[in-house]
mmCIF file with all atom_site columns, all heavy atoms in Angstrom:
data_model
loop_
_atom_site.group_PDB
_atom_site.id
_atom_site.type_symbol
_atom_site.label_atom_id
_atom_site.label_alt_id
_atom_site.label_comp_id
_atom_site.label_asym_id
_atom_site.label_entity_id
_atom_site.label_seq_id
_atom_site.pdbx_PDB_ins_code
_atom_site.Cartn_x
_atom_site.Cartn_y
_atom_site.Cartn_z
_atom_site.occupancy
_atom_site.B_iso_or_equiv
_atom_site.pdbx_formal_charge
_atom_site.auth_seq_id
_atom_site.auth_comp_id
_atom_site.auth_asym_id
_atom_site.auth_atom_id
_atom_site.pdbx_PDB_model_num
ATOM 1   N N   . THR T 1 142 ? -27.956 -74.320 23.184 1.00 0.00 ? 142 THR T N   1
ATOM 2   C CA  . THR T 1 142 ? -28.225 -75.777 22.885 1.00 0.00 ? 142 THR T CA  1
ATOM 3   C C   . THR T 1 142 ? -29.275 -76.318 23.787 1.00 0.00 ? 142 THR T C   1
ATOM 4   O O   . THR T 1 142 ? -30.194 -76.982 23.383 1.00 0.00 ? 142 THR T O   1
ATOM 5   C CB  . THR T 1 142 ? -26.938 -76.671 22.914 1.00 0.00 ? 142 THR T CB  1
ATOM 6   O OG1 . THR T 1 142 ? -25.938 -76.071 21.940 1.00 0.00 ? 142 THR T OG1 1
ATOM 7   C CG2 . THR T 1 142 ? -27.219 -78.046 22.561 1.00 0.00 ? 142 THR T CG2 1
ATOM 8   N N   . ALA T 1 143 ? -29.056 -76.012 25.094 1.00 0.00 ? 143 ALA T N   1
ATOM 9   C CA  . ALA T 1 143 ? -29.963 -76.566 26.091 1.00 0.00 ? 143 ALA T CA  1
ATOM 10  C C   . ALA T 1 143 ? -31.414 -75.918 25.885 1.00 0.00 ? 143 ALA T C   1
ATOM 11  O O   . ALA T 1 143 ? -32.410 -76.664 25.999 1.00 0.00 ? 143 ALA T O   1
ATOM 12  C CB  . ALA T 1 143 ? -29.486 -76.275 27.488 1.00 0.00 ? 143 ALA T CB  1
ATOM 13  N N   . THR T 1 144 ? -31.444 -74.693 25.509 1.00 0.00 ? 144 THR T N   1
ATOM 14  C CA  . THR T 1 144 ? -32.812 -74.038 25.318 1.00 0.00 ? 144 THR T CA  1
ATOM 15  C C   . THR T 1 144 ? -33.527 -74.548 24.101 1.00 0.00 ? 144 THR T C   1
ATOM 16  O O   . THR T 1 144 ? -34.680 -74.859 24.088 1.00 0.00 ? 144 THR T O   1
ATOM 17  C CB  . THR T 1 144 ? -32.585 -72.437 25.187 1.00 0.00 ? 144 THR T CB  1
ATOM 18  O OG1 . THR T 1 144 ? -31.931 -71.980 26.322 1.00 0.00 ? 144 THR T OG1 1
ATOM 19  C CG2 . THR T 1 144 ? -33.905 -71.784 24.876 1.00 0.00 ? 144 THR T CG2 1
ATOM 20  N N   . ALA T 1 145 ? -32.701 -74.777 23.013 1.00 0.00 ? 145 ALA T N   1
ATOM 21  C CA  . ALA T 1 145 ? -33.191 -75.342 21.731 1.00 0.00 ? 145 ALA T CA  1
ATOM 22  C C   . ALA T 1 145 ? -33.767 -76.743 22.035 1.00 0.00 ? 145 ALA T C   1
ATOM 23  O O   . ALA T 1 145 ? -34.765 -77.181 21.511 1.00 0.00 ? 145 ALA T O   1
ATOM 24  C CB  . ALA T 1 145 ? -32.186 -75.285 20.732 1.00 0.00 ? 145 ALA T CB  1
ATOM 25  N N   . TYR T 1 146 ? -33.010 -77.484 22.805 1.00 0.00 ? 146 TYR T N   1
ATOM 26  C CA  . TYR T 1 146 ? -33.334 -78.973 23.093 1.00 0.00 ? 146 TYR T CA  1
ATOM 27  C C   . TYR T 1 146 ? -34.610 -79.010 23.826 1.00 0.00 ? 146 TYR T C   1
ATOM 28  O O   . TYR T 1 146 ? -35.611 -79.663 23.537 1.00 0.00 ? 146 TYR T O   1
ATOM 29  C CB  . TYR T 1 146 ? -32.225 -79.550 23.906 1.00 0.00 ? 146 TYR T CB  1
ATOM 30  C CG  . TYR T 1 146 ? -32.640 -80.927 24.573 1.00 0.00 ? 146 TYR T CG  1
ATOM 31  C CD1 . TYR T 1 146 ? -32.882 -82.087 23.780 1.00 0.00 ? 146 TYR T CD1 1
ATOM 32  C CD2 . TYR T 1 146 ? -32.895 -80.996 25.979 1.00 0.00 ? 146 TYR T CD2 1
ATOM 33  C CE1 . TYR T 1 146 ? -33.190 -83.275 24.347 1.00 0.00 ? 146 TYR T CE1 1
ATOM 34  C CE2 . TYR T 1 146 ? -33.355 -82.216 26.448 1.00 0.00 ? 146 TYR T CE2 1
ATOM 35  C CZ  . TYR T 1 146 ? -33.524 -83.359 25.621 1.00 0.00 ? 146 TYR T CZ  1
ATOM 36  O OH  . TYR T 1 146 ? -33.879 -84.522 26.277 1.00 0.00 ? 146 TYR T OH  1
ATOM 37  N N   . SER T 1 147 ? -34.801 -78.156 24.857 1.00 0.00 ? 147 SER T N   1
ATOM 38  C CA  . SER T 1 147 ? -36.048 -78.096 25.619 1.00 0.00 ? 147 SER T CA  1
ATOM 39  C C   . SER T 1 147 ? -37.187 -77.692 24.830 1.00 0.00 ? 147 SER T C   1
ATOM 40  O O   . SER T 1 147 ? -38.325 -78.328 24.862 1.00 0.00 ? 147 SER T O   1
ATOM 41  C CB  . SER T 1 147 ? -35.886 -77.039 26.828 1.00 0.00 ? 147 SER T CB  1
ATOM 42  O OG  . SER T 1 147 ? -34.830 -77.450 27.688 1.00 0.00 ? 147 SER T OG  1
ATOM 43  N N   . MET T 1 148 ? -36.993 -76.753 23.969 1.00 0.00 ? 148 MET T N   1
ATOM 44  C CA  . MET T 1 148 ? -38.137 -76.219 23.065 1.00 0.00 ? 148 MET T CA  1
ATOM 45  C C   . MET T 1 148 ? -38.492 -77.329 22.035 1.00 0.00 ? 148 MET T C   1
ATOM 46  O O   . MET T 1 148 ? -39.716 -77.580 21.726 1.00 0.00 ? 148 MET T O   1
ATOM 47  C CB  . MET T 1 148 ? -37.707 -74.995 22.424 1.00 0.00 ? 148 MET T CB  1
ATOM 48  C CG  . MET T 1 148 ? -37.591 -73.785 23.359 1.00 0.00 ? 148 MET T CG  1
ATOM 49  S SD  . MET T 1 148 ? -36.963 -72.294 22.413 1.00 0.00 ? 148 MET T SD  1
ATOM 50  C CE  . MET T 1 148 ? -38.337 -71.937 21.356 1.00 0.00 ? 148 MET T CE  1
ATOM 51  N N   . ALA T 1 149 ? -37.471 -78.061 21.541 1.00 0.00 ? 149 ALA T N   1
ATOM 52  C CA  . ALA T 1 149 ? -37.726 -79.108 20.585 1.00 0.00 ? 149 ALA T CA  1
ATOM 53  C C   . ALA T 1 149 ? -38.513 -80.252 21.110 1.00 0.00 ? 149 ALA T C   1
ATOM 54  O O   . ALA T 1 149 ? -39.471 -80.756 20.552 1.00 0.00 ? 149 ALA T O   1
ATOM 55  C CB  . ALA T 1 149 ? -36.356 -79.586 19.991 1.00 0.00 ? 149 ALA T CB  1
ATOM 56  N N   . VAL T 1 150 ? -38.084 -80.689 22.388 1.00 0.00 ? 150 VAL T N   1
ATOM 57  C CA  . VAL T 1 150 ? -38.742 -81.733 23.003 1.00 0.00 ? 150 VAL T CA  1
ATOM 58  C C   . VAL T 1 150 ? -40.196 -81.429 23.381 1.00 0.00 ? 150 VAL T C   1
ATOM 59  O O   . VAL T 1 150 ? -41.176 -82.134 23.141 1.00 0.00 ? 150 VAL T O   1
ATOM 60  C CB  . VAL T 1 150 ? -38.003 -82.252 24.260 1.00 0.00 ? 150 VAL T CB  1
ATOM 61  C CG1 . VAL T 1 150 ? -38.829 -83.279 25.029 1.00 0.00 ? 150 VAL T CG1 1
ATOM 62  C CG2 . VAL T 1 150 ? -36.676 -82.905 23.816 1.00 0.00 ? 150 VAL T CG2 1
ATOM 63  N N   . ALA T 1 151 ? -40.331 -80.221 23.944 1.00 0.00 ? 151 ALA T N   1
ATOM 64  C CA  . ALA T 1 151 ? -41.641 -79.739 24.320 1.00 0.00 ? 151 ALA T CA  1
ATOM 65  C C   . ALA T 1 151 ? -42.615 -79.648 23.107 1.00 0.00 ? 151 ALA T C   1
ATOM 66  O O   . ALA T 1 151 ? -43.846 -80.022 23.232 1.00 0.00 ? 151 ALA T O   1
ATOM 67  C CB  . ALA T 1 151 ? -41.610 -78.351 25.055 1.00 0.00 ? 151 ALA T CB  1
ATOM 68  N N   . SER T 1 152 ? -42.053 -79.093 22.046 1.00 0.00 ? 152 SER T N   1
ATOM 69  C CA  . SER T 1 152 ? -42.950 -78.943 20.834 1.00 0.00 ? 152 SER T CA  1
ATOM 70  C C   . SER T 1 152 ? -43.429 -80.393 20.324 1.00 0.00 ? 152 SER T C   1
ATOM 71  O O   . SER T 1 152 ? -44.561 -80.545 19.812 1.00 0.00 ? 152 SER T O   1
ATOM 72  C CB  . SER T 1 152 ? -42.287 -78.193 19.760 1.00 0.00 ? 152 SER T CB  1
ATOM 73  O OG  . SER T 1 152 ? -41.121 -78.802 19.356 1.00 0.00 ? 152 SER T OG  1
ATOM 74  N N   . SER T 1 153 ? -42.454 -81.316 20.290 1.00 0.00 ? 153 SER T N   1
ATOM 75  C CA  . SER T 1 153 ? -42.730 -82.685 19.698 1.00 0.00 ? 153 SER T CA  1
ATOM 76  C C   . SER T 1 153 ? -43.756 -83.366 20.496 1.00 0.00 ? 153 SER T C   1
ATOM 77  O O   . SER T 1 153 ? -44.662 -83.974 20.026 1.00 0.00 ? 153 SER T O   1
ATOM 78  C CB  . SER T 1 153 ? -41.465 -83.414 19.735 1.00 0.00 ? 153 SER T CB  1
ATOM 79  O OG  . SER T 1 153 ? -40.872 -83.778 20.954 1.00 0.00 ? 153 SER T OG  1
ATOM 80  N N   . CYS T 1 154 ? -43.569 -83.251 21.879 1.00 0.00 ? 154 CYS T N   1
ATOM 81  C CA  . CYS T 1 154 ? -44.566 -84.009 22.762 1.00 0.00 ? 154 CYS T CA  1
ATOM 82  C C   . CYS T 1 154 ? -45.933 -83.365 22.710 1.00 0.00 ? 154 CYS T C   1
ATOM 83  O O   . CYS T 1 154 ? -46.985 -84.090 22.655 1.00 0.00 ? 154 CYS T O   1
ATOM 84  C CB  . CYS T 1 154 ? -44.046 -83.964 24.203 1.00 0.00 ? 154 CYS T CB  1
ATOM 85  S SG  . CYS T 1 154 ? -42.585 -84.907 24.505 1.00 0.00 ? 154 CYS T SG  1
ATOM 86  N N   . THR T 1 155 ? -45.959 -82.024 22.580 1.00 0.00 ? 155 THR T N   1
ATOM 87  C CA  . THR T 1 155 ? -47.318 -81.314 22.446 1.00 0.00 ? 155 THR T CA  1
ATOM 88  C C   . THR T 1 155 ? -47.978 -81.695 21.118 1.00 0.00 ? 155 THR T C   1
ATOM 89  O O   . THR T 1 155 ? -49.167 -81.978 21.117 1.00 0.00 ? 155 THR T O   1
ATOM 90  C CB  . THR T 1 155 ? -47.042 -79.754 22.462 1.00 0.00 ? 155 THR T CB  1
ATOM 91  O OG1 . THR T 1 155 ? -46.393 -79.477 23.683 1.00 0.00 ? 155 THR T OG1 1
ATOM 92  C CG2 . THR T 1 155 ? -48.365 -79.092 22.311 1.00 0.00 ? 155 THR T CG2 1
ATOM 93  N N   . ILE T 1 156 ? -47.207 -81.763 20.024 1.00 0.00 ? 156 ILE T N   1
ATOM 94  C CA  . ILE T 1 156 ? -47.814 -82.108 18.715 1.00 0.00 ? 156 ILE T CA  1
ATOM 95  C C   . ILE T 1 156 ? -48.271 -83.512 18.703 1.00 0.00 ? 156 ILE T C   1
ATOM 96  O O   . ILE T 1 156 ? -49.401 -83.830 18.298 1.00 0.00 ? 156 ILE T O   1
ATOM 97  C CB  . ILE T 1 156 ? -46.763 -81.880 17.623 1.00 0.00 ? 156 ILE T CB  1
ATOM 98  C CG1 . ILE T 1 156 ? -46.462 -80.452 17.459 1.00 0.00 ? 156 ILE T CG1 1
ATOM 99  C CG2 . ILE T 1 156 ? -47.237 -82.475 16.313 1.00 0.00 ? 156 ILE T CG2 1
ATOM 100 C CD1 . ILE T 1 156 ? -45.189 -80.129 16.566 1.00 0.00 ? 156 ILE T CD1 1
ATOM 101 N N   . ALA T 1 157 ? -47.471 -84.476 19.222 1.00 0.00 ? 157 ALA T N   1
ATOM 102 C CA  . ALA T 1 157 ? -47.867 -85.913 19.201 1.00 0.00 ? 157 ALA T CA  1
ATOM 103 C C   . ALA T 1 157 ? -49.113 -86.123 20.081 1.00 0.00 ? 157 ALA T C   1
ATOM 104 O O   . ALA T 1 157 ? -50.002 -86.843 19.640 1.00 0.00 ? 157 ALA T O   1
ATOM 105 C CB  . ALA T 1 157 ? -46.646 -86.699 19.672 1.00 0.00 ? 157 ALA T CB  1
ATOM 106 N N   . VAL T 1 158 ? -49.056 -85.630 21.285 1.00 0.00 ? 158 VAL T N   1
ATOM 107 C CA  . VAL T 1 158 ? -50.259 -85.878 22.187 1.00 0.00 ? 158 VAL T CA  1
ATOM 108 C C   . VAL T 1 158 ? -51.485 -85.248 21.692 1.00 0.00 ? 158 VAL T C   1
ATOM 109 O O   . VAL T 1 158 ? -52.570 -85.783 21.718 1.00 0.00 ? 158 VAL T O   1
ATOM 110 C CB  . VAL T 1 158 ? -49.828 -85.366 23.661 1.00 0.00 ? 158 VAL T CB  1
ATOM 111 C CG1 . VAL T 1 158 ? -51.145 -85.374 24.561 1.00 0.00 ? 158 VAL T CG1 1
ATOM 112 C CG2 . VAL T 1 158 ? -48.777 -86.107 24.283 1.00 0.00 ? 158 VAL T CG2 1
ATOM 113 N N   . GLY T 1 159 ? -51.302 -83.940 21.104 1.00 0.00 ? 159 GLY T N   1
ATOM 114 C CA  . GLY T 1 159 ? -52.444 -83.282 20.553 1.00 0.00 ? 159 GLY T CA  1
ATOM 115 C C   . GLY T 1 159 ? -53.116 -83.976 19.396 1.00 0.00 ? 159 GLY T C   1
ATOM 116 O O   . GLY T 1 159 ? -54.377 -84.077 19.435 1.00 0.00 ? 159 GLY T O   1
ATOM 117 N N   . LEU T 1 160 ? -52.321 -84.435 18.508 1.00 0.00 ? 160 LEU T N   1
ATOM 118 C CA  . LEU T 1 160 ? -52.839 -85.218 17.336 1.00 0.00 ? 160 LEU T CA  1
ATOM 119 C C   . LEU T 1 160 ? -53.480 -86.500 17.733 1.00 0.00 ? 160 LEU T C   1
ATOM 120 O O   . LEU T 1 160 ? -54.551 -86.820 17.249 1.00 0.00 ? 160 LEU T O   1
ATOM 121 C CB  . LEU T 1 160 ? -51.667 -85.497 16.349 1.00 0.00 ? 160 LEU T CB  1
ATOM 122 C CG  . LEU T 1 160 ? -51.206 -84.294 15.533 1.00 0.00 ? 160 LEU T CG  1
ATOM 123 C CD1 . LEU T 1 160 ? -49.976 -84.760 14.659 1.00 0.00 ? 160 LEU T CD1 1
ATOM 124 C CD2 . LEU T 1 160 ? -52.320 -83.791 14.556 1.00 0.00 ? 160 LEU T CD2 1
ATOM 125 N N   . SER T 1 161 ? -52.944 -87.162 18.681 1.00 0.00 ? 161 SER T N   1
ATOM 126 C CA  . SER T 1 161 ? -53.475 -88.396 19.207 1.00 0.00 ? 161 SER T CA  1
ATOM 127 C C   . SER T 1 161 ? -54.905 -88.260 19.886 1.00 0.00 ? 161 SER T C   1
ATOM 128 O O   . SER T 1 161 ? -55.823 -88.870 19.620 1.00 0.00 ? 161 SER T O   1
ATOM 129 C CB  . SER T 1 161 ? -52.475 -89.193 20.133 1.00 0.00 ? 161 SER T CB  1
ATOM 130 O OG  . SER T 1 161 ? -53.025 -90.364 20.613 1.00 0.00 ? 161 SER T OG  1
ATOM 131 N N   . ALA T 1 162 ? -54.880 -87.162 20.750 1.00 0.00 ? 162 ALA T N   1
ATOM 132 C CA  . ALA T 1 162 ? -56.175 -86.852 21.384 1.00 0.00 ? 162 ALA T CA  1
ATOM 133 C C   . ALA T 1 162 ? -57.175 -86.373 20.322 1.00 0.00 ? 162 ALA T C   1
ATOM 134 O O   . ALA T 1 162 ? -58.434 -86.778 20.513 1.00 0.00 ? 162 ALA T O   1
ATOM 135 C CB  . ALA T 1 162 ? -55.959 -85.743 22.429 1.00 0.00 ? 162 ALA T CB  1
ATOM 136 N N   . LEU T 1 163 ? -56.739 -85.594 19.380 1.00 0.00 ? 163 LEU T N   1
ATOM 137 C CA  . LEU T 1 163 ? -57.765 -85.126 18.407 1.00 0.00 ? 163 LEU T CA  1
ATOM 138 C C   . LEU T 1 163 ? -58.355 -86.378 17.591 1.00 0.00 ? 163 LEU T C   1
ATOM 139 O O   . LEU T 1 163 ? -59.582 -86.402 17.350 1.00 0.00 ? 163 LEU T O   1
ATOM 140 C CB  . LEU T 1 163 ? -57.056 -84.164 17.378 1.00 0.00 ? 163 LEU T CB  1
ATOM 141 C CG  . LEU T 1 163 ? -57.958 -83.644 16.271 1.00 0.00 ? 163 LEU T CG  1
ATOM 142 C CD1 . LEU T 1 163 ? -59.098 -82.838 16.786 1.00 0.00 ? 163 LEU T CD1 1
ATOM 143 C CD2 . LEU T 1 163 ? -57.017 -82.819 15.367 1.00 0.00 ? 163 LEU T CD2 1
ATOM 144 N N   . LEU T 1 164 ? -57.533 -87.359 17.239 1.00 0.00 ? 164 LEU T N   1
ATOM 145 C CA  . LEU T 1 164 ? -57.934 -88.465 16.567 1.00 0.00 ? 164 LEU T CA  1
ATOM 146 C C   . LEU T 1 164 ? -58.978 -89.347 17.357 1.00 0.00 ? 164 LEU T C   1
ATOM 147 O O   . LEU T 1 164 ? -59.936 -89.822 16.846 1.00 0.00 ? 164 LEU T O   1
ATOM 148 C CB  . LEU T 1 164 ? -56.780 -89.272 16.092 1.00 0.00 ? 164 LEU T CB  1
ATOM 149 C CG  . LEU T 1 164 ? -57.100 -90.591 15.234 1.00 0.00 ? 164 LEU T CG  1
ATOM 150 C CD1 . LEU T 1 164 ? -57.681 -90.139 13.899 1.00 0.00 ? 164 LEU T CD1 1
ATOM 151 C CD2 . LEU T 1 164 ? -55.789 -91.385 14.999 1.00 0.00 ? 164 LEU T CD2 1
ATOM 152 N N   . LYS T 1 165 ? -58.620 -89.468 18.717 1.00 0.00 ? 165 LYS T N   1
ATOM 153 C CA  . LYS T 1 165 ? -59.539 -90.302 19.557 1.00 0.00 ? 165 LYS T CA  1
ATOM 154 C C   . LYS T 1 165 ? -60.914 -89.617 19.648 1.00 0.00 ? 165 LYS T C   1
ATOM 155 O O   . LYS T 1 165 ? -61.976 -90.253 19.643 1.00 0.00 ? 165 LYS T O   1
ATOM 156 C CB  . LYS T 1 165 ? -58.857 -90.440 20.925 1.00 0.00 ? 165 LYS T CB  1
ATOM 157 C CG  . LYS T 1 165 ? -57.745 -91.434 20.911 1.00 0.00 ? 165 LYS T CG  1
ATOM 158 C CD  . LYS T 1 165 ? -57.046 -91.582 22.261 1.00 0.00 ? 165 LYS T CD  1
ATOM 159 C CE  . LYS T 1 165 ? -55.956 -92.555 22.234 1.00 0.00 ? 165 LYS T CE  1
ATOM 160 N NZ  . LYS T 1 165 ? -55.334 -92.660 23.597 1.00 0.00 ? 165 LYS T NZ  1
#
Side-chain angles (χ1 to χ4, degrees):
T142 301
T144 301
Y146 167 73
S147 300
M148 293 174 66
V150 171
S152 64
S153 69
C154 291
T155 300
I156 291 169
V158 172
L160 285 175
S161 181
L163 179 63
L164 183 63
K165 287 179 180 178

